Amino acid sequence: MSKKVIIIGAGPAGISAAHTLCKNGVEVIIFEASPYIGGMSRSFDLWGQRVDLGPHRFFSKEPKINNFFDEVVKDEYTLVNRLTRIYYKKRFFDYPLKLFNVLRNLELSTIVGILFHYAKQQLFPIPNPETFEQWVTNRFGKKLYTIFFKYYTEKLWGIPCSKIDADWAAQRIKGLSLLEAVLSAVKGNRGNTHKTLVDQFAYPHHGTGSLYEKAAAFIEANGGVIYKEMPVQQVVVEDNECKGVITVDGVLHEATHVISSMPLTALIKGMKQTPQYVIDAGHQLYFRNTILVYLSIDKDDLFEDNWIYVHSPEVRHGRITNFRNWCPTITKDSRHTILCLEFWAFDTDEIWSADDAYLSDLAIKELKMIQLIDQDQAVTASKIVRVPKCYPVYEIGYKKHLEVLENYLSGIDKLTPIGRYGAFKYNNQDHSILMGILAAEQIVHGTNVDLWSINTDTDYQEDGAVKDVLVQ
C-alpha cells in the first residue's frame, strides 16, 4: 500500500511535516480546525498593515530548520536588529543588559543588594533545585530574581514561581549567569551567542505566517490537500495501530500514518479505549491562554523596541509588540503604529470572558500608566484576538503525568504527536518545525528519532550566528 499520511493541524509542526512529505512524493492530507494556516505563528492583515500573533522571531543553528526556511522564503526576508527592553518600576532596562543603563536605572542600594545576594547564593546554593524560583535564585541571587524574573513569569503562568518546574528555566534561560550577563554588558554585548542575548533575527517580508502560507501553497501544488475548519474528533486505533481519523462531519479517513499536532490532552480523549489511568494523567496537564489586544495609534514613532517585557506588577499585561519596528514591508507606508498587548489567562479567569470594549479600555489605560503613549494620544481602532491553549503549563509534577501519556502513545504504531500542542512542549516555532521535519523523515526514510526529547534538554537550537539562518 502506498503511503498516505494524515496531519492534524496546519501550524509550524504540521506544515513543515507536510512540506517534507510532499517533497518525497508522499500523499498528504491536512485537517485544520481553524480557518487559518500557521497556527500560533500566523500573520493577518489589519488596518492596512500586516501583523503576527505577538512577536515571532526566527533564529536557529539547526541546518534542517534553516534549509526549510531558505527553501520556502528564499530571499524574501529581512535581518531585523533586535531591540527589546524590560519595563520595571517606571524604568526601562535595555535587554540584553547594558552596564551603564542598569547603573542609571537602579539605586546604589539595589545594586549592592543584587551583588550581596548573588555572592551569598554562590556560597550557599540550593541543592538540586526543583522549582523555577530555586533554579533562577541559584543562578542570579534572590534580589535579581525578584526584579527581572518573578513578576513577569507569574503573569505568564498564573501560578507562583515556587510551583513552576525548574525545566522551564533550564530550557529558556539555559546557561546564562549573572557573571555572563555582566561581562556581556561590559563588552557592550559584542559577540553574544547566548540565545536570550542574540541581537539580530530573520523575518519574512510579509510576516512570520507567510513562511507557512508559502509552504502550504507548495504542498497543494504538489498534490497535498488542506482542509480548513475541519476539526478531527477521533483518532482511530485498532490493535495498537493508528488507522486514520474521523472528522467532525463523521467521515472516516484512512491513512498509513497519522501525525498529530492537536493538543495532547484532546488527542487521548479522542481515542476510544484509552485506559482510564491515561485519561486521569491527562486531566493533570493544562494550558494557559493568551488575549491579544491590537491598538492602532495615530503616531509613527512611539518607541524603537520590537517588543517590551512588562515586569511591573501594577499592570496586567506582560508584553507589548510594536510591529512598526520589525520590517517596513508589513507597515505598508502607514503612518499609524500597531501595538499588540498580551494578557494571559485560564479558561476560568474573568478576563478571559471579558468583552472586547473592556479589554481595549484596559490596554489603553495600562499603556498610559507606563507612559508609552501620552494621556491625550489618539487610539483610532482596536481588535481583540483570543488564542486558547497557547502555553503548556510546567507545574511541578507535570513530568510524571506527561510521561504516562508519552509511554502510552509510544506504544501505538503509525501515530506521531508533534508540536507545542501535540507534544505538550514549550516549543518555539523553530522547535516545532524541527519536530515536523523529523517526523516526516521517520515516515519516508525509517529513521529513529526520539521526538519527545526535542526542547527538553539544555542543548537549545538557537545559539548560532544569525547568518547561519541562510548560509550553510
Side-chain angles (χ1 to χ4, degrees), residues 79 247 308 388 450:
L79 286 180
T247 46
I308 294 173
D450 182 11

Side-chain angles (χ1 to χ4, degrees), residues 18 32 40 48 55 69 71 154 200 242 263 282 300 307 319 331 337 344-346 351 359 384 408 420 438 445 455 457:
E32 166 58 42
M40 286 181 288
F69 184 95
E71 183 176 342
E154 292 184 350
Q200 204 174 46
C242 187
D300 62 2
W307 67 90
R319 186 165 57 180
T331 59
T337 296
W344 299 298
F346 293 119
I351 193 173
L359 293 168
I384 312 301
Y408 176 69
R420 181 186 285 202
L438 293 176
H445 303 299
N455 196 26
D457 56 28

Side-chain angles (χ1 to χ4, degrees), residues 19 51 79 93 106 129 167 175 189 195 296 366 382 401 419 433:
H19 184 270
V51 297
L79 286 180
F93 295 82
L106 294 178
D167 272 7
N189 296 296
K195 71 176 182 63
S296 177
E366 293 194 350
S382 65
H401 304 301
I433 289 170

Side-chain angles (χ1 to χ4, degrees), residues 368-379:
K368 292 178 177 179
M369 283 178 62
I370 61 178
Q371 300 177 349
L372 277 181
I373 62 174
D374 298 332
Q375 292 297 320
D376 58 353
Q377 180 67 60
V379 178

